[in-house]
Amino acid sequence: QCTQAGEPASQRNGRCSLDTKTVEDFRWRLKYFFMNPCEKYRARGRKPWKLMIQILKIAITTIQLVSFGLSNEMMVTFKDENLMTFRNLFLKGYKDHRHGSLSLYTKRDVNEHIHYIINRYTNLQNLTVGNLAYELINGDYTPLTLCQVFYRNSTIDPENDTFDIDPHIDKDCISIHPMQSLSNNTLATHPNFSLDFRRLLSVNIYLTLKTINLQTVRHHELPDCYDFHIVIIFDNRAHSGKIKVDIENDVRIYECSDWNVEAGKNDYLLLSFDSVVILACFASLILCIRSVIHGIQLQFVSITTEILLASDRMEFVNGWYMLIIVSDIMTITGSVLKIGIQTKFLTNYDVCSILLGTATMLVWVGVIRYLSFFKKYNILILTLRAALPNVFRFCVCAAMIYLGYCFCGWIVLGPYHDKFRTLAKVTECLFSLLNGDDMFSTFLRMRDKTYMVWLFSRLYLYSFISIFIYMVLSLFIALINDTYETIKHHQKDKEPVSQLQAFIAECIDQPESGRYQITDESTCCMFSRGCFG
C-alpha cells in the first residue's frame, strides 16, 4: 500500500512511517475505548461517571418501583374487593363460583334474579357496609338501565325442524331510578319490556356507583374517588338452555372535588424523588448517547482505513449502551406518568406499570456489562452473546413444529378437552407440557372420549413430548454448551476470537504507561482523511 509508481524513496518512507504511526494511534484509541472504567481511570484519570450513575439508578429506580407497586397494589386490591362486593350484593345466591360462572336454567329464575338486582340497587344504602353511593348528575341520581338484546323477528319450531329468523339485532331498554321500587309483576306489565327467550340474546343491566378509597390515607397518600360502571350480563347467545350470569366492572379513577387531609407532605416528597430519578436517567442517557456516537466515529475510521473486517465493525456499537438508553427513555416516560397519576391528572396505571417495570428490569440487566469486566463472569456473557444468533435460528425451526402441533391439537382435541378449546389455550398447554408440567391431568381428561379420539390423543401427546423434551430441548442445551466450550477454549489459550481483538492485542502498553493521553489535535487528525495518506 506504501509503494506507488514513480514515487521517490524518501517520500515513500516518510508516508509509510506516517501510516504506521497513525495505525498505532488508532490501536491505542481502540484499546482505550474497550477498557473497563477502572482501567480508563488509571489511563487518563477520568472518573467512571456512567458506572456511578448506573449504581445510583439501580437504587433509586428500585425504590421508585417499590413505592409505585405498593400504591398500585392498594388500587388493584380495592377494585377486586369491590367487584367481589358487587357480585355478592347483586347476584342472588352467589357463593364465590370459582369453578364456573353463575348459571340459570328456568324463566322463573331469570325473572327473579332481575327483580332481585333491581331491589338490591334501590335499597343499596340500607344494605351495604361500604361507602358506596349513587351517581348524582345535575341534582338527579343516575338510573339503573335494564336492556334486552334480541333478534328482530324469529319463528323457531324445533318440533318440526323449522325456523325463520331475522339476524338483525334490536335493543330495548327501560330506566329505573334509585328511589323507585318495583313489584314482582312490574316488568311483565311494562308495555315495552317483556322477555321472549326464543329470540333473547342477552339481558344487560347497567348501573353506576361511586366510592372513595380511604385506605391510602394510612400510607400518607391522597385518597382517590372511584366511579364503578357496572354491567350485569345474562348471556343467552348459545340458546342452549343455560344462561350464564356475570358482572363486568369498568372503573374511572379521579381526584375528589373537595378534600382535606392533614399531614399531606408525603406527596411533595414523592414528586421530588421522581424528579431526581428523571434527572439521573437523563444524565445517564446523555453519557450513553455520547459513548455510542464515539463508537460510531471509531467505526467510521475503521471503514475508512479498511483495517478491520465488516463483521468486526458491529462491535463498536455497544449493545449494553443501547439497552441502557432504552431503559432511560422508559424510566423517564414512566416517571412522568407516575407524577401525573400522583397529581391526579392521569390514571394510566397499567401503562405506567409496564414502563417502570420493564425499565427497572433493564437497569438490573444492564449492570451485567460491568460484571463482564471480570473474567469469570465474562465467559458467561460472551457465551450468551455468541450463542444468540444460532439459538434464534434454532428457535425459528422449532417454532414451525410447535405451531403445527398447536393447530392440529386445536382442531382435533378442542371439542373434547378444555385445555385445547382455543388456540391460545393450546399454546399454553403445550408449553406447560414442554416444561414437564401438568402431564398426568392432560392425559387423564381424555379417558372417557371415543376410542378414535382417545387413540389420536395418545399418539399426539406422546410424540410431542418425545420430540420436544428428548430432542429439541437436548439440542438446544447442546448448542449453548458447544458455544460455551468454544469461548472457554479461546480464553484458556488466550486466543483472540475476532480480528478486532487480535488488532487490539498488539498494543502492549498498560493503562498506567501514559501513552493514552491523546491531545485534541491528534484526536481531530484521526478523523481527517489526510492522516491516512
Side-chain angles (χ1 to χ4, degrees), residues 162-372:
T162 61
F163 67 90
D164 181 15
I165 189 168
D166 184 351
H168 294 88
I169 296 175
D170 288 337
K171 186 175 183 180
D172 184 20
C173 299
I174 62 172
S175 297
I176 301 171
H177 290 272
M179 301 306 175
Q180 178 181 353
S181 62
L182 294 180
S183 61
N184 288 336
N185 60 353
T186 301
L187 293 179
T189 58
H190 196 281
N192 295 324
F193 199 93
S194 61
L195 298 179
D196 184 355
F197 289 92
R198 292 182 179 270
R199 294 190 298 155
L200 182 66
L201 291 174
S202 66
V203 176
N204 302 327
I205 301 177
Y206 303 91
L207 51 97
T208 302
L209 297 175
K210 302 167 68 69
T211 188
I212 300 175
N213 185 6
L214 296 178
Q215 64 177 330
T216 58
V217 174
R218 294 183 287 106
H219 299 273
H220 308 287
E221 294 184 19
L222 185 65
D224 295 321
C225 285
Y226 287 69
D227 281 353
F228 291 101
H229 300 279
I230 305 165
V231 182
I232 305 175
I233 303 172
F234 294 75
D235 187 2
N236 191 42
R237 289 174 296 178
H239 287 89
S240 60
K242 174 183 177 180
I243 296 180
K244 294 180 288 186
V245 185
D246 200 4
I247 289 183
E248 294 181 358
N249 184 24
D250 184 23
V251 184
R252 186 174 75 90
I253 306 173
Y254 58 96
E255 182 180 7
C256 298
S257 59
D258 187 13
W259 54 271
N260 183 17
V261 181
E262 297 182 0
K265 297 181 180 180
N266 193 51
D267 285 339
Y268 298 103
L269 294 177
L270 290 175
L271 294 177
S272 300
F273 185 78
D274 291 333
S275 301
V276 172
V277 173
I278 293 175
L279 292 176
C281 291
F282 186 75
S284 172
L285 181 65
I286 296 299
L287 291 176
C288 290
I289 291 177
R290 188 189 69 172
S291 297
V292 170
I293 293 175
H294 187 200
I296 294 175
Q297 290 174 340
L298 290 176
Q299 184 188 51
F300 175 76
V301 174
S302 69
I303 294 174
T304 306
T305 58
E306 298 183 357
I307 293 176
L308 303 174
L309 296 175
S311 59
D312 292 330
R313 291 170 185 165
M314 289 306 298
E315 295 192 32
F316 291 101
V317 182
N318 195 316
W320 294 112
Y321 289 149
M322 303 303 295
L323 185 73
I324 295 173
I325 288 173
V326 173
S327 171
D328 289 335
I329 294 175
M330 297 183 72
T331 303
I332 292 172
T333 306
S335 298
V336 172
L337 289 178
K338 183 174 180 291
I339 291 175
I341 291 173
Q342 289 174 348
T343 54
K344 311 307 174 186
F345 288 106
L346 300 172
T347 58
N348 299 323
Y349 279 91
D350 293 336
V351 177
C352 186
S353 299
I354 293 173
L355 290 173
L356 292 182
T358 306
T360 305
M361 178 188 68
L362 295 179
V363 168
W364 281 91
V365 172
V367 179
I368 297 179
R369 173 181 180 267
Y370 299 99
L371 294 178
S372 65

